[in-house]
Amino acid sequence: RGSAMRLPLRVLSDRRLRALHAAAQASLTGFAQATTEHGSLIRSWIGTALPVALEHYPSGGVVDRPRGAQFFYHCHRTDASEHGHVHVFWHATRGGRRRYLRGSAAWVRSAPSPLLSIGMDASGLPVSLFTVNHWVAGGYWCDASTTLAQVRRFAMHAVPGQAAACVWITGFVRLYEPLIAHLLEARDRRLARMGPAAAALDDRRVEVLSSVRLDWAADLSRLEAELSRRGLEPDDA
């Protein structure tokens, strides 16, 4: 299956490195809290029952309405290294734009645009990132640059019952933004090779368009080592 893809830490500016380190620490905090409270991130979504293939967990997904961020967990693939995966979305208009909502305002002319998916092993550790074809997740489809802009705005803030998971996924997405950019570019190149866009996006023979394996623990260790190598203090802001 090949080795995990590493974050390109050596080429980052000091400021960017500190930002990724802060995101990593936030994701680790959320992960630890969910694990302490529920046994694992996966258990924080599915509870104690055995998961049913293709069901969305938790029921209805986790949605931050004001920010338009959403995710759900499910399992259905036969990859031995993957228990299931998280699909991550951003509610936007067809052109990729959105506004924050206040109070009980409704989403207008928006739909959940798929950003990326996160493969998880049975212990709840993230083991991969991948993108799926349009027919898999639906919503509005945006090109790589527009989707990356949505990724950079993605954030989830203390959805009731899922506060730890919101901290984890917000930090995790920010940490892996460099690899997500690579995935989205690879996704669009793959689609371009598949022929006319409408047919490619509805090609049921192709579910996953791009993917990379992760070693989250190794990336966290490498971040610490790179900060130390440069003699930098963590960004506590």
Side-chain angles (χ1 to χ4, degrees):
R1 294 177 53 83
S3 59
M5 188 172 190
R6 294 182 173 185
L7 284 165
L9 302 180
R10 290 294 181 99
V11 302
L12 300 179
S13 68
D14 289 354
R15 180 179 179 182
R16 187 77 177 109
L17 186 70
R18 284 197 190 97
L20 260 62
H21 182 266
Q25 292 305 301
S27 68
L28 188 58
T29 296
F31 181 88
Q33 183 179 345
T35 301
T36 298
E37 294 175 354
H38 303 280
S40 72
L41 267 175
I42 293 173
R43 286 296 170 193
S44 76
W45 303 321
I46 70 175
T48 58
L50 289 174
V52 177
L54 297 176
E55 287 291 317
H56 294 185
Y57 296 97
S59 179
V62 179
V63 184
D64 184 330
R65 289 190 71 258
R67 295 164 185 81
Q70 177 177 353
F71 75 86
F72 66 80
Y73 181 81
H74 72 167
C75 49
H76 63 86
R77 299 201 295 176
T78 57
D79 186 334
S81 67
E82 181 188 287
H83 178 275
H85 46 267
V86 176
H87 288 296
V88 185
F89 301 88
W90 175 257
H91 283 257
T93 64
R94 187 176 297 277
R97 297 171 179 262
R98 70 160 282 103
R99 62 181 178 85
Y100 291 141
L101 299 180
R102 294 182 179 179
S104 59
W107 282 321
V108 178
R109 296 186 300 278
S110 69
S113 298
L115 302 182
L116 69 144
S117 301
I118 306 166
M120 314 284 286
D121 71 11
S123 67
L125 283 169
V127 294
S128 66
L129 296 172
F130 61 96
T131 64
V132 296
N133 208 346
H134 184 227
W135 65 265
V136 177
Y140 292 140
W141 186 266
C142 300
D143 63 18
S145 62
T146 302
T147 304
L148 184 59
Q150 295 169 347
V151 167
R152 287 171 174 158
R153 294 180 65 190
F154 177 88
M156 302 197 77
H157 288 213
V159 174
Q162 292 292 327
C166 289
V167 171
W168 169 74
I169 200 166
T170 299
F172 187 85
V173 169
R174 288 175 179 166
L175 167 63
Y176 280 108
E177 183 186 310
L179 297 194
I180 294 168
H182 164 82
L183 274 177
L184 293 172
E185 291 163 0
R187 179 200 74 175
D188 283 12
R189 289 194 300 269
R190 174 87 180 275
L191 282 170
R193 294 194 299 268
M194 289 169 59
L201 291 170
D202 195 41
D203 189 338
R204 301 305 170 105
R205 299 169 300 177
V206 181
E207 176 185 352
V208 175
L209 290 167
S210 59
S211 64
V212 295
R213 288 186 61 215
L214 297 181
D215 188 333
W216 188 42
D219 283 332
L220 295 176
S221 295
R222 290 179 59 245
L223 264 170
E224 295 287 352
E226 183 63 14
L227 275 178
S228 178
R229 188 187 72 83
R230 299 190 193 186
L232 299 175
E233 293 295 327
D235 186 353
D236 296 324

